[in-house]
Amino acid sequence: MTERSILLGNEAIALGLLEAECTMAASYPGTPASEILRALASLKERHKLDLHLEWSINEKAAFEVALANSYTGRRSATIMKQVGLNVAADPLMSAAYTGVKGGFVLISADDPGPHSSQTEQDSRLIAMVAKIPVFDPSSPEEAREYARRACALSEKHEIPVMLRPTTRVCHARQDMDLRPVPHPKQFPLFEKNPGRWAATPKFRLVLHRQLNEKLARISRDPDCAPQLVNGDALGPGTRDGGRACIVGSGVVTAHAQEILGELGLWDRVPFYRLPMPYPLPESFRDDLLSSYDRILILEETDPVIELQLQNREKIFGRTTGHVPTAGELLPEVVEGILRSFLGLDPSPPVEPPAYPGRRPTLCAGCPHRAAFFAIKKAFPKGIYPGDIGCYTLGLNLGVVDTVLCMGASINQAAGFYHAYRSARRDMPPICATIGDSTFFHAGVPALMNAVVQGARFVLVVLDNSTTAMTGHQPTPALGRNLDGIPVPRLSIAELAKACGVRSVAEGDPYDFDRFLDLLKAAGRHAGAEDGGVAVVIAKRPCLMDRNQPRTWPRLRIEVNEKCKGCDFCVKQFECPALRPRGEKEPIVIDDSLCSGCGVCVRVCPHGALEAVSEGH
Ligand code: SF4
Ligand code: SF4
């Protein structure tokens, strides 16, 4: 009997890559893509596969490492989220020209919604700009299948191929068959060909023409052809002569399929699903436009299919205002679109989701909260450039003023400094924050730039020894790679010194008073005549990281009679374990949440919180 299992979309993608005999995968974590490499690591272990897997320092590095493997004729994958693809855009554009040897799959997971991203961008448009084919799966099973197809197509046509799952595919679960995972046999062989691999601009023109020819061939590949998914169900006269049809790609087609069934229209409206929304076959475009009067396009997030269909009069979609231009196409949204397109009664209005009871906040006892509280105390009138990570939630504490993209906090701190200095205005203190993983990702070049341009500010590196937000992937400071094998360990302090920073200090934010002193000293260095950028490393492991030993005595917090119920601690410190009970009522500690860090003792201005040691 065939073995079956319920797999997460990201696990299904990992399986598809191994079924395609990928020998290398490199990634930088980012929701919703983070579980793909983790699933590859556990499959590698379970099936004793000889693969190289790595959490790279950023997406550009991940892309370039995996690409080199493909140059040797072996199959590779590089994995990131849509915002990460911006970081890897440079090698992507060039790799489309040079092409690849072994199959090379670029997985860029999109986040329509957006649920946990700075943007709602559509990676399929970047595939169009780069001129590479893109697969858009609608379910975990399809994502597994398309991972295999993408790898094979890439190798057949020697071109990088994108697989673009979205959050709802990555994080959905589906029951599917398990088949034996093959052991890759391809031996690496790099055949020198500088005309291609190191092409000069003149030859790049030739490569561009070849790329265009490849795309034309790929668009005719029967393996990637659009499917009329309800062809067997359609009644006579509907299939060819129907006046209206629906065309789509991605998870929105799964919603639409279900809704058409519920509305009793599955056998009446031709419905095309496009595995590969770019490049569209010319014959399909012509047939579609000549066979139908009204064509509804359903796709997330941007009008990639629509842009390839040039008859504006027949198209109904995002460019015509029939499909919303932002936000996730949830089933209730799709139902409204279908009803309006098909001339049915509008669906009853959907109640907006109830506002969540509490806004997202840092975990109880999170060391970042202690560091932020100290920053606010040290620099009460400061400007606080922030960055991307769980510590972005410092927003709630009023200690994150800007959030742009990975590594931007340092560049923005420098920008604020130069702006104030050149305008000869009173200089407010500037204190930027960045996580340890983000520092390695994009902070180091920014710090070098800030130093050599003479900027002055305090930079707090919130070092919790992991990439916490995306599932505790290792950082280069850990000294272990993805396989747990010891590798050289990079020191944030030494890197900061190598960037030219002369004031580098390290402290534990749980040791609140000493940490506060370090911040004030850093502020003095930044403001002194012979000063510069000062770096303070707030070092305390993430509480949620099971790989980190617990190295502090757990404290039991008691609320004494001095508590005035002013709720200062609740409002200014926001530890979820501190529970208000109403005006002037003493607060209570929720022992089920309290981690026993003891920092709140330093927060209460009335000395109403006391700590009793409970040991480790
Ligand atoms: S000790 Fe205080 S700050 Fe730490 S988790 Fe418990 S309530 Fe929160
Ligand atoms: S513990 Fe202190 S800060 Fe919190 S409500 Fe009581 S008196 Fe106010």
Side-chain angles (χ1 to χ4, degrees), residues 149-413:
R149 272 202 222 175
C151 216
L153 189 80
S154 163
E155 192 162 295
K156 183 171 164 192
H157 296 280
E158 300 199 348
I159 187 171
V161 175
M162 182 187 286
L163 175 69
R164 191 291 296 240
T166 52
T167 308
R168 302 282 169 188
V169 171
C170 294
H171 291 165
R173 288 184 183 272
Q174 192 175 358
D175 181 27
M176 57 191 89
D177 278 346
L178 297 182
R179 296 180 285 269
V181 172
H183 281 241
K185 290 173 204 71
Q186 185 67 41
F187 192 74
L189 176 66
F190 176 60
E191 289 174 294
K192 288 178 189 282
N193 181 358
R196 175 176 176 185
W197 306 127
T200 54
K202 209 165 190 174
F203 196 59
R204 294 269 163 161
L205 182 62
V206 177
L207 288 176
H208 191 182
R209 288 194 192 112
Q210 290 175 359
L211 175 60
N212 291 341
E213 286 159 17
K214 277 183 198 176
L215 280 176
R217 276 200 304 275
I218 290 167
S219 72
R220 296 190 293 270
D221 195 312
D223 230 19
C224 314
Q227 306 148 352
L228 179 62
V229 277
N230 56 350
D232 292 343
L234 290 176
T238 1
R239 186 178 175 134
D240 302 316
R243 296 167 57 83
C245 77
I246 300 167
V247 176
S249 78
V251 76
V252 61
T253 59
H255 301 328
Q257 183 166 338
E258 213 162 282
I259 294 161
L260 281 178
E262 282 165 15
L263 296 175
L265 295 172
W266 184 242
D267 55 354
R268 292 179 40 202
V269 187
F271 185 9
Y272 294 88
R273 179 181 294 150
L274 312 186
M276 194 176 67
Y278 175 83
L280 280 190
E282 210 171 308
S283 57
F284 173 73
R285 290 189 309 215
D286 293 347
D287 286 353
L288 200 66
L289 292 169
S290 61
S291 304
Y292 300 100
D293 298 332
R294 303 169 72 240
I295 303 163
L296 174 68
I297 312 285
L298 292 175
E299 54 184 329
E300 277 178 328
T301 307
D302 288 319
V304 171
I305 300 170
E306 267 178 81
L307 289 174
Q308 296 171 81
L309 295 166
Q310 280 157 6
N311 187 331
R312 300 288 87 206
E313 280 161 21
K314 294 190 170 188
I315 300 298
F316 293 73
R318 290 181 189 274
T319 54
T320 58
H322 293 86
V323 175
T325 50
E328 203 176 2
L329 294 181
L330 294 166
E332 53 273 27
V333 180
V334 177
E335 182 171 346
I337 298 166
L338 286 173
R339 281 177 178 274
S340 139
F341 176 69
L342 299 170
L344 307 176
D345 290 341
S347 40
V350 181
E351 288 298 316
Y355 192 72
R358 204 175 65 194
R359 59 182 176 174
T361 186
L362 296 164
C363 303
C366 173
H368 298 333
R369 179 183 284 103
F372 279 128
F373 194 72
I375 291 170
K376 197 155 58 169
K377 241 179 141 77
F379 312 113
K381 298 228 163 72
I383 299 177
Y384 310 119
D387 223 295
I388 308 281
C390 10
Y391 52 88
T392 304
L393 291 170
L395 270 167
N396 296 348
L397 299 164
V399 199
V400 167
D401 289 332
T402 63
V403 179
L404 186 69
C405 60
M406 299 281 278
S409 66
I410 301 178
N411 289 324
Q412 290 188 311

Side-chain angles (χ1 to χ4, degrees), residues 364-366 369 555 557 573 575-578 589 593-601 609:
C366 173
R369 179 183 284 103
L555 300 167
I557 307 299
F573 195 57
C575 174
L578 300 168
I589 306 290
L593 288 178
C594 176
S595 69
C597 71
V599 179
C600 53
V601 172
L609 298 174

